[in-house]
Amino acid sequence: MNAPASAADTLRSALAGLLDGLPPKSATRAVERLIANYRGRTPTDAPVLRDRSDVVAYAAYRMPATFEAVCSALEAFAVAVPGWVPGSHVDVGGGTGAATWAVNATWAGGRPVTVLDWAEPALALGREIAATNPELKAAEWQRSRIGAALTIESTDLVTVSYVLGELTAADRTAVVGAAATAAEAVVIIEPGTPEGYARVIEARDRLVAAGFYIAAPCPHSAACPIVPGEDWCHFAARVSRSSLHRQVKGGSLPYEDEKFSYVAATRFPPAPAPSRVVRKPQIRKGQVLLDLCEPGTDEAGPALTRTTVTKRHGPLYRAARDTGWGDAWPPAADTAADTDTAADTDADPA
């Protein structure tokens, strides 16, 4: 699942322009320092992004990956809410606006947008980048402390991407509560690590308790069947590497995979996926193995299962070979098929 090429290219071009005049060594040093200090240890009243050089370097390094991850989550969410288009959007802790760009890439067109962040240099750069996108020129960039004192005006959609890990437990509770109070739909994205997944599950539980339905990635709103500490639910988005990425990481590949965990929830009943592919499909000779999260039954509840699709399943086998990690299963065109005969389901957990 990747963002539309035009949106990604426009953003990439804007970011490349920002690096003009910034010495490569300075950008590299800034990125290395920020990577060491940014994730998970930022006091809510002391932004790590201190000045324009910090923000430019970090945006060029991290913004494409954040954008692609949020686009992937929003794509799955949009499928679960066909016909629904947010009329307004608040991006909490949005920084330079990666999630704002992702929402615009998912649902084209102008809408009232407010980006809230504590780091004024990030907001200033986000405003500058957004000026290159006609549909984002009117976005408002507001300095706001992301924590217990946060208030959010009523809106259709709230995104909270790569933010919860920077907050205390009390502030995480307050931010998710503020989002739930203000929005018709909430999408939360965190790094695809066990810790990131734990924060997503915590937020998921709070949203369900607040009366929300889970639209994605889960095909249900019941408790997650994954056993905490044994595994975690996450997905991946393919990101084109810039020269700065390759310079900082010392890598030669033109791409990398951004791992992320997420939850998308709505105040109204969505049409969630019949099941979700929660691991990279295993393609073997004449068969495809799909690890799925399924809603289960009222008696059994949600479950992790493995489905084997073979050549004898005809069109479904061809669809399985094209199915990616994070996709719904079966594909929309096949949801009316008799899945009892379409594939062989094992009891083994994913």
Side-chain angles (χ1 to χ4, degrees):
M1 298 184 288
N2 291 97
S6 58
D9 290 345
T10 300
L11 177 59
R12 193 175 295 113
S13 176
L15 291 172
L18 292 171
L19 289 172
D20 291 343
L22 186 67
K25 289 185 179 180
S26 296
T28 299
R29 284 195 297 268
V31 168
E32 289 172 343
R33 181 180 64 78
L34 292 167
I35 288 173
N37 295 321
Y38 192 78
R39 294 177 182 170
R41 297 188 297 275
T42 307
T44 56
D45 60 349
V48 165
L49 301 179
R50 303 172 305 187
D51 54 31
R52 182 178 173 83
S53 294
D54 277 356
V55 176
V56 167
Y58 196 76
Y61 179 76
R62 279 298 305 164
M63 201 172 172
T66 302
F67 170 76
E68 292 290 356
V70 179
C71 278
S72 292
L74 293 177
E75 179 184 340
F77 174 51
V79 171
V81 289
W84 184 82
V85 177
S88 55
H89 170 218
V90 174
D91 187 3
V92 174
T96 54
T100 297
W101 281 77
V103 168
N104 180 251
T106 306
W107 296 282
R111 61 182 55 84
V113 176
T114 302
V115 182
L116 304 176
D117 200 273
W118 179 234
E120 182 59 41
L123 292 168
L125 189 71
R127 187 182 299 111
E128 182 179 334
I129 298 170
T132 66
N133 184 334
E135 294 180 346
L136 295 179
K137 283 184 177 180
E140 296 185 8
W141 302 77
Q142 297 180 4
R143 191 164 189 248
S144 177
R145 185 166 296 171
I146 311 302
L150 178 68
T151 58
I152 304 173
E153 296 294 330
S154 180
T155 185
D156 286 348
L157 173 65
V158 168
T159 54
V160 188
S161 63
Y162 293 82
V163 172
L164 298 184
E166 301 170 24
L167 306 179
T168 65
D171 283 343
R172 287 198 298 271
T173 298
V175 167
V176 174
T181 299
E184 187 175 25
V186 177
V187 180
I188 295 172
I189 304 97
E190 283 287 298
T193 62
E195 296 79 11
Y197 164 72
R199 292 189 291 269
V200 167
I201 284 298
E202 180 185 69
R204 181 188 188 277
D205 290 345
R206 293 190 183 284
L207 291 170
V208 171
F212 279 73
Y213 301 89
I214 302 304
C218 321
H220 56 84
S221 296
C224 177
I226 292 177
V227 178
E230 295 184 6
D231 204 351
W232 70 98
C233 183
H234 65 292
F235 305 95
R238 181 61 51 91
V239 184
S240 296
R241 274 180 171 169
S242 67
S243 59
L244 181 60
H245 281 87
R246 293 193 292 271
Q247 182 179 346
V248 173
K249 289 196 171 182
S252 58
L253 290 176
Y255 64 86
E256 63 183 55
D257 290 326
E258 172 73 6
K259 306 292 179 60
F260 65 97
S261 295
Y262 77 99
V263 63
T266 59
R267 281 282 180 192
F268 54 89
S275 63
R276 181 78 61 188
V277 179
V278 293
R279 293 287 182 275
K280 184 176 180 180
Q282 300 180 46
I283 301 178
R284 301 178 180 176
K285 186 176 181 180
Q287 61 181 216
V288 181
L289 277 59
L290 300 176
D291 291 325
L292 306 173
C293 179
E294 298 185 322
T297 63
D298 291 339
E299 294 78 16
L304 301 175
T305 63
R306 172 165 289 176
T307 292
T308 302
V309 187
T310 66
K311 281 187 175 179
R312 69 184 177 85
H313 297 125
L316 201 64
Y317 170 71
R318 291 191 290 274
R321 288 182 61 87
D322 292 334
T323 293
W325 182 10
D327 287 352
W329 182 262
D334 298 301
T335 52
D338 183 356
T339 53
D340 289 337
T341 60
D344 305 315
T345 301
D346 303 327
D348 295 339

